[in-house]
Amino acid sequence: MSIVVKNLSHTYMEKSKIAVKAVDDVSLTVEPGEFLCIIGHTGSGKSTLIQHFNGLMQPTSGSVTVDGYDMADKKQRKLGRELVGMVFQYPEYQLFEETVYKDVAFGPTNMGLDAEAVKNAVFEAMERVGLAIDKFCEKSPFDLSGGEKRRAALAGIIAMQPKYLVLDEPMAGLDPMGRAEILGVLESLRREKNTAVIMISHSMDDIMRHATRVAVLEKGRLIRLGEPREIFKETKLIREMGLDIPQSAQIAELLRKKGVAVPPEVVAEDELVEFVLAAAGRNNGRING
């Protein structure tokens, strides 16, 4: 089972003089356990696309199914939504309950779980995001630090045990340690729960390290879909879209400009390190350009 997007288009203010096609004939499939990152310039349709995955938005044309549930059908949408967790930018703004426990428990309670099942889901989610139960359960979410608020908000989604976790720039505004913590949580969900992660991000280094596939959007259209190393080999295309490339790809590019014969397929950090060490070994510690 999977999320299947078929010929999806979405037009804002359709039939008006100022109609805008935000998503244009996009087709893709999201498999359980994969880490799909979506990139594109501001206005490329990324956020509009992902809001179709749990039925927050409806297509102008085309379809979205989640494990076979048609997200355009009201009854099926309810069942599909239980499989898809959505995390927006700055999710901490969605915190509203008196305590962290109540906030994390809100989703599973609304799903109809009994009190014991809710408690187990809350405790597991809090532990997964690194919020000690004895320290944070009765604490007001408004007394948490910025990073703790982000983790509490993420715990509220994880507690609903989604099969697909959709995130819109979840690391926005976080320092490097906070970013690493959130990415660690996402990776643990993939490994241990086979949760699919669908994430919009502008951090090409994070994408290079964690994504299994990358979808590139431009003006609402899906123009590339593939493994990170395949996508980031196309440095000219990525730059023309106004996006960055990973630091490892930038270093490889600089070495080529200096005359070092770095193969074009070397874009990932581990590949670059391997190449440099091998080249240094062949040349008595020097990288000849």
Side-chain angles (χ1 to χ4, degrees), residues 4 16 37 71 74 76 84 105 127 145 179 189 231 236 252:
V4 179
S16 76
C37 284
M71 300 305 282
K74 191 173 182 179
Q76 293 187 51
V84 183
E127 287 177 346
S145 69
R179 295 166 66 86
L189 285 168
I231 298 298
K236 186 173 184 291

Side-chain angles (χ1 to χ4, degrees), residues 130-267:
L131 294 176
I133 292 165
D134 57 349
K135 180 179 178 182
F136 289 99
C137 265
E138 297 307 313
K139 203 166 186 177
S140 166
F142 305 106
D143 292 335
L144 304 180
S145 69
E148 288 167 348
K149 286 180 180 178
R150 187 73 55 94
R151 283 184 278 158
L154 183 56
I157 304 298
I158 292 172
M160 293 187 284
Q161 301 180 349
K163 184 175 178 181
Y164 306 95
L165 185 58
V166 184
L167 308 103
D168 191 347
E169 286 283 356
M171 275 82 71
L174 292 181
D175 59 25
M177 184 176 293
R179 295 166 66 86
E181 288 173 350
I182 297 298
L183 285 164
V185 171
L186 300 180
E187 284 291 2
S188 73
L189 285 168
R190 289 185 61 228
R191 289 193 307 270
E192 298 165 25
K193 301 284 190 177
N194 202 36
T195 303
V197 177
I198 304 107
M199 183 176 79
I200 294 173
S201 178
H202 284 93
S203 173
M204 303 306 162
D205 292 296
D206 290 341
I207 292 170
M208 190 76 244
R209 293 188 189 103
H210 296 277
T212 55
R213 288 194 301 159
V214 180
V216 185
L217 293 186
E218 184 175 36
K219 296 179 181 178
R221 296 190 66 85
L222 179 64
I223 63 168
R224 293 288 188 280
L225 179 64
E227 295 182 2
R229 57 177 36 85
E230 294 300 317
I231 298 298
F232 291 122
K233 278 198 305 186
E234 300 189 65
T235 56
K236 186 173 184 291
L237 171 71
I238 299 298
R239 285 208 168 97
E240 285 176 349
M241 295 173 61
L243 301 173
D244 291 327
I245 61 174
Q247 287 187 346
S248 53
Q250 292 180 38
I251 293 169
E253 194 174 59
L254 287 171
L255 287 171
R256 292 186 195 104
K257 288 179 180 178
K258 294 286 187 182
V260 179
V262 183
E265 64 271 16
V266 172
V267 290

